[in-house]
């Protein structure tokens, strides 16, 4: 099966394949506490969250955090998250969907804004690394958009993956923006960081389960 005969999925990690909502909310509230902000619920988080992340904090502070505040909050967030992610697991049905897509002769990769050095052993620990032809985490500072990372990810897969038959599956509007940036499609999943309303505004298919996401990816990449 050649490049033009198969579809490709670029999976997001946090909030998509990895069901880490509890750790994300806990880490966010730990970071907020450093500036005296009240904790927020998952529903509030989903309605307010946006990328770049400092803009998310601006919605709560009423101003952009200073460089010192951002550095403090970002450090607290990642320390808390690293401690509590161990209680999180894969999203229900994820492993079966990865295996099924691969066995159907299609390809898939993983691109996350989680740090690369932390991401790779985490994925490996779940025993799913072999399903991906490439796994990339964030390099450089946190808090930015996925678009430029997506460019590098697909450039590394040039000759193997065709952007026009590539579908990005993620839980954030930024995933749709990153897909559009490289000429790929996107399907957004409601189980992660964004509310359905904010995902619908991205103008791409929005689904409630990963099984629906894969079915939609198969359809739009046909």
């Amino acid at each position: 099966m050649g490049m033009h005969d198969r579809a490709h999925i670029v999976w997001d990690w946090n909030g998509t394949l990895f069901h880490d909502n509890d750790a994300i909310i806990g880490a966010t509230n730990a970071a907020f506490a450093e500036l005296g902000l009240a904790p927020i619920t998952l529903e509030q988080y989903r309605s307010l969250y946006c990328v770049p992340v400092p803009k998310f904090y601006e919605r709560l502070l009423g101003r952009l955090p200073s460089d010192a505040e951002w550095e403090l909050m970002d450090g607290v967030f990642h320390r808390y998250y690293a401690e509590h992610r161990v209680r999180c697991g894969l999203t229900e049905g994820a492993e079966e969907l990865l295996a099924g897509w691969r066995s159907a002769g299609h390809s898939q990769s993983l691109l996350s804004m989680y740090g690369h050095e932390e991401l790779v052993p985490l994925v490996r620990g779940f025993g799913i690394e072999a399903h991906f032809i490439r796994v990339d985490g964030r390099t450089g500072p946190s808090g930015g958009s996925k678009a430029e990372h997506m460019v590098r990810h697909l450039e590394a897969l040039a000759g193997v993956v065709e952007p026009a038959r590539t579908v990005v599956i993620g839980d954030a509007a930024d995933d749709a923006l990153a897909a559009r940036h490289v000429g790929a499609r996107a399907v957004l999943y409601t189980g992660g960081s964004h509310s359905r309303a904010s995902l619908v505004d991205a103008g791409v298919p929005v689904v409630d389960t990963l099984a629906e996401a894969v079915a939609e990816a198969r359809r739009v990449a046909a």
Side-chain angles (χ1 to χ4, degrees), residues 62-171:
R63 60 176 175 80
L64 281 170
S66 68
D67 289 346
E69 288 171 334
W70 164 252
E71 186 175 347
L72 173 64
M73 296 172 78
D74 193 49
V76 170
F77 178 95
H78 285 98
R79 285 195 300 274
Y80 183 101
Y81 180 82
E83 179 182 347
H84 291 270
R85 75 181 188 196
V86 296
R87 300 189 182 96
C88 303
L90 296 178
T91 300
E92 183 178 359
E95 189 167 2
E96 292 80 6
L97 289 167
L98 293 172
W101 185 259
R102 183 184 179 196
S103 67
H106 301 300
S107 60
Q108 55 201 330
S109 58
L110 177 59
L111 175 62
S112 174
M113 293 300 282
Y114 192 44
H116 185 76
E117 298 303 318
E118 293 80 23
L119 175 69
V120 172
L122 186 56
V123 172
R124 189 171 294 148
F126 281 111
I128 59 173
E129 186 180 21
H131 293 307
F132 304 111
I133 60 174
R134 187 173 182 87
V135 174
D136 282 329
R138 187 198 75 251
T139 56
S142 63
S145 173
K146 186 179 274 188
E148 292 306 318
H149 295 270
M150 187 68 72
V151 170
R152 291 191 291 271
H153 186 72
L154 289 191
E155 283 178 347
L157 295 173
V160 179
V161 170
E162 184 180 8
R165 296 209 61 201
T166 295
V167 181
V168 177
I169 297 179
D171 69 318

Side-chain angles (χ1 to χ4, degrees), residues 169-182:
I169 297 179
D171 69 318
D174 190 53
D175 291 301
L177 293 174
R180 193 172 297 125
H181 192 66
V182 295

Side-chain angles (χ1 to χ4, degrees), residues 13-16 18-25 81 85 88-89 91:
W13 180 245
N14 302 97
T16 304
F18 190 42
H19 187 65
D20 59 350
N21 290 342
D22 288 345
I24 291 285
I25 293 299
Y81 180 82
R85 75 181 188 196
C88 303
T91 300

